Amino acid sequence: MTGRLSFGYLYDFRNPAPWHRPGEALYAETLDVIAETEALGFAGAWVPEHHLAEDGYMPSPLVTLAAVAARTKRMKLGTGIALGPLYEPLRFAEDCAVLDILSAGRMQLGLAIGYRAREYAAHGLDFTRRGARFDEFLHLVRRLWDGEKVDFAGKFFTLAGAQVRPLSSRGQIPLYIGGFAPKAMERVARYGDGYFGNAEIWPLYRRTLEEQGKDPATARMWLQGLMLVVAHDKAAAMEELAPHFHHVNNSYGAWMGEDVVEGKGAIGLEDAALKPMDLDAFKASGILQILTPDEAIAHFRGLQDQAPVEHFTMMMPAGLPAERFLAYAGIFARDVLPAFE
């Protein structure tokens, strides 16, 4: 499969100690960067969600996206990902409808259940029931975006006369649901407009669609490659970028290891790839992919051959100065984007 493929970046607004500065300056600069990437031709700006992070990882993506909507005109924007079970369905449906209006129909939502028990404990929720809570949440949000007045008494939510007003002109907002387990794919097939995650999940996603009587030709995939950068001088880029991506690797690795039992964590993968390590080990690990433009084009065409991917998300890593991030984004825009238009 070849042809059009769009690209965007994830912005987690981290402010870790080695590069710490006033949050007001960091947030303002990141919004400037997002506007610049739109001018370069990138098609998406995505804000994730985590809580209790020492480095300030974004805990409030919907608020942040209102600011992103005000600074952009063309690109899609949304959560990548938000932790769906932490939300109340009516408030979530209302906030997203308002965001879709503010952005003139550019919202696209990535949602999943998350994998950190302490985030659920902090919100007073049962981590072990997050999947069932997510299913009930998705059922209600879909009904609310249909414009329905909802009366509902379930295991997790009770609504009486709930209705979203105003709805955006689209009503339903695209939902891409993440995960790796078969149950997650059932959720994608039932409630999602597409899958958010990794290309290797495509066979499971396709099979689940077939089992639910849905046409795999309608499948849509939004892939993440947060540790991928395009550069002309790969060695120089590794030296400059590795400390910043090393912080990303180690923080994710620590989170993924919090609730591991018998080698398997709550993320749903056996032996998750990201683990804390020292900087030299990280440089040698191959986790940070630095590709030349030609290598990147071949890589993305390979993904298109493997799965029905429509969008690919990279990231602005913690602490990297804006001008240096934009220099790498500029290389990608000039030398890679034209191959997929």
Side-chain angles (χ1 to χ4, degrees), residues 52 86 116-127:
L52 314 176
L86 298 186
R116 301 183 69 208
R118 65 189 61 188
E119 291 181 310
Y120 279 80
H123 285 83
L125 298 174
D126 185 347
F127 180 70

Side-chain angles (χ1 to χ4, degrees), residues 183-203:
K183 177 61 178 176
M185 290 307 102
E186 293 173 13
R187 193 173 288 124
V188 176
R190 183 174 181 182
Y191 296 110
D193 295 293
Y195 168 73
F196 176 93
N198 299 347
E200 60 266 26
I201 300 299
W202 168 233

Side-chain angles (χ1 to χ4, degrees), residues 45-331:
W46 314 109
V47 182
E49 176 181 4
H50 273 296
H51 300 269
L52 314 176
E54 292 293 332
D55 64 4
Y57 194 113
M58 175 53 62
S60 188
L62 299 183
V63 171
T64 306
L65 287 165
V68 176
R71 294 294 305 275
T72 57
K73 299 295 184 185
R74 174 190 53 80
M75 59 171 31
K76 292 182 181 179
L77 51 96
T79 54
I81 59 170
L83 304 178
L86 298 186
Y87 290 84
E88 184 276 321
L90 177 60
R91 171 61 72 185
F92 179 86
E94 290 172 329
D95 285 349
C96 292
V98 170
L99 280 169
D100 206 43
I101 294 168
L102 287 171
S103 65
R106 293 184 287 129
M107 284 292 292
Q108 178 173 303
L109 298 163
L111 298 174
I113 63 173
Y115 53 88
R116 301 183 69 208
R118 65 189 61 188
E119 291 181 310
Y120 279 80
H123 285 83
L125 298 174
D126 185 347
F127 180 70
T128 66
R129 303 187 73 194
R130 68 197 190 282
R133 181 181 173 93
F134 193 28
D135 287 335
E136 197 167 287
F137 168 88
L138 291 167
H139 168 75
L140 291 168
V141 167
R142 285 300 199 191
R143 289 177 63 184
L144 289 163
W145 281 341
D146 273 339
E148 185 178 344
K149 182 179 287 187
V150 178
D151 294 302
F152 182 85
K155 295 179 180 178
F156 304 96
F157 304 106
T158 299
L159 283 67
Q163 193 170 27
V164 173
R165 290 292 183 269
L167 281 169
S168 74
S169 60
R170 297 194 294 173
Q172 294 289 340
I173 297 169
L175 286 178
Y176 287 67
I177 299 172
F180 304 99
K183 177 61 178 176
M185 290 307 102
E186 293 173 13
R187 193 173 288 124
V188 176
R190 183 174 181 182
Y191 296 110
D193 295 293
Y195 168 73
F196 176 93
N198 299 347
E200 60 266 26
I201 300 299
W202 168 233
L204 176 59
Y205 177 25
R206 180 183 58 212
R207 184 167 65 251
T208 306
L209 287 171
E210 291 170 345
E211 290 170 352
Q212 294 200 12
K214 297 185 178 181
D215 184 358
T218 66
R220 299 159 69 180
M221 296 185 71
W222 168 11
L223 301 188
Q224 58 180 343
L226 302 185
M227 300 278 191
L228 187 149
V229 178
V230 172
H232 294 298
D233 187 332
K234 294 166 68 171
M238 178 63 75
E239 289 305 306
E240 178 177 28
L241 297 174
H244 302 279
F245 283 101
H246 178 242
H247 175 84
V248 175
N249 176 85
N250 281 11
S251 59
Y252 278 132
W255 293 344
M256 290 177 185
E258 286 175 350
D259 303 299
V260 170
V261 178
E262 297 181 351
K264 186 173 182 179
I267 196 169
L269 292 174
E270 299 280 356
D271 193 29
L274 302 185
K275 296 179 176 64
M277 62 186 74
D278 65 34
L279 180 59
D280 287 339
F282 176 71
K283 288 180 180 179
S285 69
I287 293 171
L288 176 55
Q289 289 182 278
I290 301 177
L291 306 177
T292 66
D294 286 345
E295 288 171 341
I297 290 169
H299 174 74
F300 293 125
R301 285 180 174 158
L303 288 178
Q304 288 181 303
D305 289 339
Q306 181 181 350
V309 51
E310 61 181 14
H311 186 80
F312 189 91
T313 298
M314 300 165 286
M315 80 175 304
M316 181 180 184
L320 184 66
E323 65 274 12
R324 296 305 304 145
F325 170 73
L326 288 170
Y328 288 102
I331 294 169

